[in-house]
Structure formats: C-alpha cells, structure tokens
C-alpha cells in the first residue's frame, strides 16, 4: 500500500516553545537539520529507498547528544492523540512507522532489508518492524552485530475514563522508542561503532512479542553473527530510592550489568528483585532473541512497580514523563554501547 507523502514542519525553536504541550493537542513530528526530523518523502513498503552514503567518523559535537527538547519533541508526537494509541495494524501506528523511517533516513541509517520495513508474517493485519543499520567501521568487527530495540506499538482505544479513551502509551513504550531513536541519531552521525548496530522498532509486542519474534527468527535464518540484543522498555520515569539509574531483566543470567557499569564509569545498572519475581525477562522483546540465538539478550528498564500507576491505562500520557531523566539515560547509554561495539573481544557473556 502506498504510504502518504509526509511533510514535517515542526522546527526546533517551536519545540522549545511547546514544552508544555499536552497529548490532547494535535502535534506534528519534529523537524530540523540537526536530526529532529521525520520523514521527508515517500518510503512505501516494497519500494527501494536509496541507501544513504556512509558518513566518515568525525568529532562528536555537543548537539549530537540527547537533550530534553529532543526527547520532548519525539514523545509529544509518538504519544499524541493523533496516533490513537498506536495499535498494531492501525492508521495511528502507520503514522508512527513513517515518523521512525524519517528519523532513520535523516540520520543516514541504511535500511537493513530492501526498505526499512520488515512485514510481520505472524499478524493478521499489515504490521511492520522498522529496521535500520549503522555499519561498523572495523573491517573485521563489522561482521558482528548488536541489535538495539524497543517496541513502538501500544494498545489503542480503551473504555473511556473521564472522557478519555486513548491509551497513548507514553511510558509503554514511546519512551523506549524515543531512547532507541536518539541512540540511532547519535550513532548515525558519529559512526563511532566498530561492530555493526541494528536499530529495530518492533510492532505487535502487545499482541505477544510478535514483531520481535518475527525478526529474531528471520535474522537467525540469515545466520546473522549476533553478539548482543539490548532492549529498552518503559524508561520514561526515574526509579524510586535506588542507587542505580536502571536495571536489566535477567540480571543474574549474564555480566551485562557489570560491563555496562564499567563503560558508564558509574553505578548505572542494578538488580531489581521484583523484575525476577514477575518474570520480566520473558515479557519483552529481548526474549525471542534469547530463544533464537542464545546470546545475551536483555531489557533495560526504569519501571520499578512503585513509580508509575498508569500501566495499560489512558493515563499513560506525556505529562507523566521526566524528560531530564530520559535524556540522561540516553546519554549514559552512549559510552556503554560504544564499549560493547568497540571492545576487541566479546565481553558480555551468559553465565
């Protein structure tokens, strides 16, 4: 189906001025030459996108790191009422897909497949993972891959509460999607990764991890040399009374937290007992990669069961999010991913 031609008009100065926008307003996707830009043209499923020329490694500028304004702009669009809760196969998630494709295109990620779209074969409505890649700079290590993922779907329309029926899914999982998009923007411009990085936004997670299951199986059939899968889920609000910023699911299965903290040079990742108690390792998009590849596949998260009361409710809106926390998390993950991608040996291992 031919996608609509999307023209993105929102400038950075407008984003700065609209910091208090609510989800009830119609919000255009962010735009601007610095990477806050959505899709500038048609990228229809089944039509080849001209692959961007790989940029040479260059000095990192301060504006390539994340900040509150960038995070706000992305979140205000993905969790806006215009997208109607991003239910898989809906018009709303189609808008989100186009937006994600645009950010990949503007930041010179190559489509991993013929286009950025990976059409799900295991869901009854048209649904797509959006998959881009930043090839590694080292001739040997570029043949090893790291998948960095999050799901961009949510649950759509619910029974109205106080006149609001749209489950906007700001924390679940526009926050994780925003984290991945900002990391994609950074690495798309910095080219500071020796191993290749696949950035994957999954559909139909809420239908039973269908998008990630589809992609994991497909990559396994390709015999992809996959080193790690790192996933981001519900990263929109800070943890409560913890001496670390986030946790990984399946903490005791690998040394991922330990290696993360070494590259972050701080106590960034810790252990949350309730994550194990509630089986979170099996409940997000890391799990299909664990099953298919048996390599360290874990989810970074800041939902600690005490800090957010709107899981799968219409109250999961942008005004509940902490943008300073989110941009800090993204920037703290940059040296971690650089460490994962540039180490001479594969340091993260299952025990």
């Amino acid at each position: 189906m031919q996608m609509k031609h999307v023209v993105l008009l929102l400038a950075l100065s407008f984003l700065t001025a609209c910091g208090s926008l609510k989800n009830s307003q119609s919000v255009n996707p962010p735009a601007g030459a610095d990477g806050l830009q959505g899709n500038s043209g048609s990228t229809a499923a089944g039509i080849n996108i001209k692959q961007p020329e790989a940029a040479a490694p260059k000095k990192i500028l301060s504006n390539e790191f994340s900040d509150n304004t960038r995070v706000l702009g992305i979140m205000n669009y993905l969790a806006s009422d215009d997208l109607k809760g991003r239910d898989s196969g809906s018009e709303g998630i189609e808008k989100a897909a186009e937006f994600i494709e645009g950010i990949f295109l503007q930041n010179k990620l190559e489509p991993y497949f013929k286009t950025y779209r990976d059409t799900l074969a295991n869901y009854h409505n048209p649904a797509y993972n959006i998959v881009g890649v930043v090839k590694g700079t080292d001739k040997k290590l570029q043949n090893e891959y790291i998948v960095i993922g999050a799901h961009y779907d949510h649950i759509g329309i619910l029974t109205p509460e106080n006149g609001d029926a749209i489950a906007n899914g700001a924390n679940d999982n526009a926050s994780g999607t925003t984290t991945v998009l900002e990391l994609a923007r950074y690495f798309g411009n910095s080219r500071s990764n020796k191993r290749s990085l696949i950035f994957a936004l999954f559909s139909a997670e809420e239908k039973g991890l269908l998008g990630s299951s589809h992609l994991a199986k497909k990559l396994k059939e390709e015999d992809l040399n996959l080193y790690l899968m790192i996933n981001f889920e519900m990263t929109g609000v800070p943890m409560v009374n913890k001496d670390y910023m986030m946790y990984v699911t399946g903490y005791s299965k690998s040394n991922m937290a330990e290696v993360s903290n070494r590259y972050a040079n701080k106590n960034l990742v810790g252990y949350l007992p309730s994550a194990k108690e509630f089986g979170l390792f099996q409940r997000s998009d890391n799990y299909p990669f664990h099953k298919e590849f048996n390599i360290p596949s874990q989810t970074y998260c800041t939902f600690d069961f005490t800090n957010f009361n709107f899981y799968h409710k219409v109250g999961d809106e942008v005004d509940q999010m902490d943008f300073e926390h989110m941009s800090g998390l993204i920037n703290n993950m940059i040296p971690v991913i650089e460490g994962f991608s540039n180490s001479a040996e594969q340091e993260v291992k299952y025990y």
Side-chain angles (χ1 to χ4, degrees):
M1 179 177 66
Q2 180 67 35
M3 290 167 54
K4 297 177 181 178
H5 184 80
V6 182
V7 181
L8 304 163
L9 302 172
L10 193 59
L12 180 60
S13 58
F14 178 74
L15 283 176
T16 304
C18 73
S20 61
L21 281 175
K22 301 289 187 180
N23 267 356
S24 58
Q25 295 177 281
S26 177
V27 183
N28 290 322
D34 57 1
L36 276 172
Q37 188 154 351
N39 196 349
S40 60
S42 177
T43 56
I47 296 177
N48 286 330
I49 300 172
K50 182 180 178 181
Q51 295 191 0
E53 295 181 4
K58 61 184 180 64
K59 183 178 180 181
I60 307 306
L61 304 176
S62 61
N63 66 359
E64 289 173 354
F65 294 94
S66 189
D67 61 34
N68 299 2
T69 299
R70 298 181 195 281
V71 170
L72 170 63
I74 296 170
M75 290 289 290
N76 258 336
Y77 183 68
L78 289 176
S80 67
D81 281 359
D82 284 352
L83 272 61
K84 305 295 184 184
R86 306 187 311 279
D87 197 9
S88 295
S90 70
E91 292 183 7
I93 200 170
E94 170 64 24
K95 293 179 181 180
E98 294 174 11
F99 174 66
I100 293 165
E101 289 174 301
I103 290 181
F104 281 3
L105 184 63
Q106 289 296 326
N107 291 287
K108 300 182 180 179
L109 276 73
E110 299 175 13
Y112 184 79
F113 300 108
K114 184 179 290 187
T115 73
Y116 291 122
R117 296 197 175 201
D118 169 41
T119 304
L120 271 60
N122 55 356
Y123 189 61
H124 59 277
N125 289 330
Y128 314 95
N129 298 321
I130 309 299
V131 189
V133 62
V134 178
K135 290 292 289 184
T137 60
D138 184 271
K139 289 184 179 179
K140 180 180 178 182
L141 292 178
Q142 70 179 198
N143 296 314
E144 299 176 12
Y145 286 79
I146 297 171
V147 171
I148 301 168
H151 73 91
Y152 72 107
D153 67 306
H154 195 50
I155 57 175
I157 307 299
L158 302 179
T159 302
E161 294 181 20
N162 300 318
D164 184 6
I166 298 175
N168 299 87
N171 201 26
D172 184 16
N173 189 35
S175 64
T177 299
T178 298
T179 299
V180 171
L181 290 176
E182 280 288 83
L183 290 170
R185 181 179 62 81
Y186 176 86
F187 285 100
N189 287 283
S190 72
R191 304 283 159 164
S192 57
N193 53 294
K194 293 182 179 180
R195 291 183 173 87
S196 296
L197 304 177
I198 294 173
F199 292 90
L201 283 307
F202 305 112
S203 190
E205 187 268 358
E206 301 287 2
K207 310 301 183 183
L209 310 181
L210 296 184
S212 53
S213 295
H214 171 87
L215 183 61
K217 181 179 180 181
K218 196 169 182 177
L219 296 179
K220 182 65 175 177
E221 290 172 350
E222 288 186 355
D223 198 27
L224 183 78
N225 185 4
L226 186 59
Y227 167 32
L228 297 173
M229 192 281 173
I230 59 178
N231 187 56
F232 292 93
E233 177 89 50
M234 297 182 71
T235 57
V237 292
M239 303 181 76
V240 177
N241 297 324
K242 305 292 190 300
D243 63 356
Y244 52 91
M245 190 175 199
M246 54 185 143
Y247 62 91
V248 289
T249 62
Y251 178 93
S252 61
K253 294 180 181 294
S254 81
N255 62 343
M256 187 175 284
E258 175 189 340
V259 178
S260 297
N261 291 340
R262 172 156 50 84
Y263 284 123
N265 197 29
K266 62 176 65 177
N267 191 28
L268 181 67
V269 183
Y271 171 61
L272 185 73
S274 52
K276 183 176 182 180
E277 178 185 352
F278 288 98
L280 298 191
F281 177 75
Q282 295 91 348
R283 293 174 59 182
S284 195
D285 290 306
N286 60 288
Y287 192 59
F289 290 87
H290 161 77
K291 290 195 299 181
E292 291 287 350
F293 288 90
N294 194 31
I295 49 93
S297 307
Q298 293 168 262
T299 293
Y300 292 86
C301 184
T302 66
F303 171 66
D304 67 7
F305 297 89
T306 70
N307 60 349
F308 190 69
N309 297 321
F310 302 104
Y311 174 72
H312 281 197
K313 296 180 179 180
V314 297
D316 185 1
E317 304 223 27
V318 166
D319 59 9
Q320 299 293 323
M321 301 297 99
D322 185 323
F323 303 112
E324 184 174 357
H325 156 76
M326 289 182 65
S327 62
L329 184 151
I330 293 161
N331 290 331
N332 275 300
M333 281 303 302
I334 287 171
V336 174
I337 294 173
E338 286 180 333
F340 290 163
S341 66
N342 296 337
S343 62
E345 304 295 331
Q346 295 187 357
E347 299 176 296
V348 183
K349 300 180 185 297
Y350 273 151
Y351 294 128

